[in-house]
Amino acid sequence: MLKVGVLGAGHLGKIHLRLLQQSDQYELVGFYDENQENAERISKEFGYKNFNTIAKLIHAVDVIDIVTPTLSHYKCAKVAIKSGKHIFIEKPIANTVEEAEEIIALAAEHRVKGQVGHVERFNPAFIATKNMIENPMFIETHRLAEFNPRGTDVPVVLDLMIHDIDAILSVVNSKVKNINASGVSVISETPDIANARIEFENGCVANLTASRISMKNMRKTRFFQKDAYISVDFLEKKCEVVRMKDAPEIPGDFDMILQNAEGVKKQIYFTNPDVEQNNAILDELESFANAIKTDTTPIVTLEQATDALRVAYQIIDCFDK
């Protein structure tokens, strides 16, 4: 079992602590939180060992799980990597692209592995459909959330939309060609609603909408490709695949047939792939343990997370134009 320590014991940090303690891949050594009053309370309530310095925790483990505010990701990662420890970092990887690139360079120099917590890659509905997504040419995403003060210190693009940016980049095998975007600040000092149009070199277009002041929660993505439409509901963990094939010579009574202007007939097939329910956070943490033990590439690499951050900042830069 890999010895692991958690930096940060806020809302998400507490979830990581609980899951790491349950995991049979890790031995949870303890945690550090800069708010020692909060740390002592959590230690007393749950029995996790509270370290009073980052250095002492890093020295005692093989893997550091960084669940601190984004502003401190780079500082925490730098210290851990230079101590020869593998790092798991919550998304976004860092506060700036420059910090993220230095994390990549340091990890390569010190020969440690890194993975970033883009948890939607482990969403069971996305997993069930990912192999069916082949060369999508139009993608539409809606990620809407009811207002929560937690996370409003950064634009909604870094808070919410970055999940969809990462998922899209993982299935579109092409470089970004052009980005147009707009954002509006309603309650926060940074944009609460954003819409972005990403054009790829292969002709694919992705239209992303994110809001953190919605009346309801929604996390849906639709992929359109030749002869298929794939819908993924990340919130409800459901998916639907609609395929079109050449219609049979003699259609059945219940077959759904469409005919275009040229007279070509297509039959529509609806399928709901099996979705195996999981705990996505536990799965991403354990997949990282597996990558370390087998010396394989993590599912969400530092480089991929940096690509997502780079696109996120290109979107944010559009707001000022």
Side-chain angles (χ1 to χ4, degrees):
M1 293 173 75
L2 293 165
K3 292 182 178 179
V4 65
V6 177
L7 294 183
H11 172 75
L12 191 55
K14 285 191 284 189
I15 294 172
H16 278 228
L17 283 164
R18 175 173 55 83
L19 293 173
L20 287 167
Q21 191 171 52
Q22 292 174 8
S23 172
D24 58 7
Q25 300 290 317
Y26 292 101
E27 176 192 338
L28 177 62
V29 173
F31 74 101
Y32 169 83
D33 190 277
E34 67 177 8
N35 182 337
Q36 279 298 299
E37 189 178 320
N38 177 56
E40 287 169 13
R41 185 173 64 251
I42 290 169
S43 179
K44 190 174 181 180
E45 184 176 353
F46 299 103
Y48 311 130
K49 184 177 180 181
N50 169 29
F51 285 73
N52 58 12
T53 70
I54 291 178
K56 287 180 182 176
L57 177 62
I58 288 174
H59 181 71
V61 300
D62 308 307
V63 181
I64 286 290
D65 180 11
I66 301 169
V67 204
T68 59
T70 304
L71 284 171
S72 63
H73 283 186
Y74 167 70
K75 179 182 70 176
C76 294
K78 188 176 179 179
V79 173
I81 293 169
K82 286 189 170 182
S83 300
K85 311 300 179 179
H86 304 291
I87 54 163
F88 184 97
I89 314 178
E90 253 315 313
K91 66 86 194 165
I93 179 174
N95 190 48
T96 68
V97 173
E98 292 72 24
E99 287 180 350
E101 287 174 340
E102 191 166 340
I103 290 172
I104 292 170
L106 283 169
E109 180 186 343
H110 293 273
R111 298 187 177 184
V112 299
K113 292 190 182 293
Q115 181 167 318
V116 179
H118 283 287
V119 71
E120 293 291 37
R121 295 268 208 108
F122 296 83
N123 188 297
F126 187 54
I127 291 170
T129 54
K130 190 172 181 184
N131 289 340
M132 303 176 193
I133 302 170
E134 300 170 351
N135 197 30
M137 295 312 291
F138 181 67
I139 302 169
E140 189 162 37
T141 77
H142 289 88
R143 186 167 293 262
L144 315 177
E146 295 173 4
F147 184 74
N148 183 341
R150 187 171 55 84
T152 54
D153 54 327
V154 296
V156 70
V157 176
L158 294 176
D159 183 26
L160 297 179
M161 189 184 281
I162 196 164
H163 282 295
D164 298 311
I165 294 169
D166 173 71
I168 288 168
L169 293 180
S170 75
V171 296
V172 178
N173 188 24
S174 180
K175 292 181 179 178
V176 172
K177 177 182 174 184
N178 188 46
I179 293 176
N180 290 292
S182 59
V184 180
S185 301
V186 180
I187 296 175
S188 317
E189 294 297 313
T190 58
D192 297 301
I193 301 174
N195 176 261
R197 176 186 168 92
I198 304 173
E199 299 174 20
F200 293 87
E201 289 182 356
N202 69 349
C204 176
V205 172
N207 189 32
L208 296 80
T209 300
S211 169
R212 58 186 175 204
I213 53 168
S214 176
M215 299 301 288
K216 63 176 182 178
N217 294 322
M218 178 190 290
R219 304 203 310 255
K220 288 184 178 179
T221 299
R222 293 178 291 173
F223 302 89
F224 297 85
Q225 59 197 42
K226 184 169 176 59
D227 292 335
Y229 154 78
I230 298 161
S231 173
V232 179
D233 189 327
F234 288 93
L235 185 61
E236 298 294 332
K237 297 178 174 58
K238 296 176 181 176
C239 54
E240 182 179 54
V241 178
V242 181
R243 293 192 182 278
M244 289 205 293
K245 298 180 181 178
D246 291 335
E249 289 285 326
I250 305 173
D253 291 342
F254 300 103
D255 289 350
M256 187 175 287
I257 308 294
L258 291 180
Q259 182 173 323
N260 66 15
E262 288 74 35
V264 177
K265 293 181 179 180
K266 295 279 187 177
Q267 182 175 355
I268 299 177
Y269 298 83
F270 293 88
T271 57
N272 295 96
D274 291 334
V275 176
E276 295 184 16
Q277 297 304 317
N278 69 342
N279 185 309
I281 297 176
L282 179 60
D283 279 5
E284 67 178 354
L285 290 166
E286 292 195 335
S287 79
F288 185 48
N290 183 62
I292 293 168
K293 292 176 180 178
T294 59
D295 192 22
T296 52
T297 303
I299 290 176
V300 184
T301 65
L302 301 175
E303 290 82 1
Q304 290 169 340
T306 301
D307 288 341
L309 185 66
R310 186 178 290 107
V311 170
Y313 271 113
Q314 287 176 293
I315 291 169
I316 292 167
D317 288 344
C318 289
F319 299 162
D320 300 325
K321 292 179 182 177

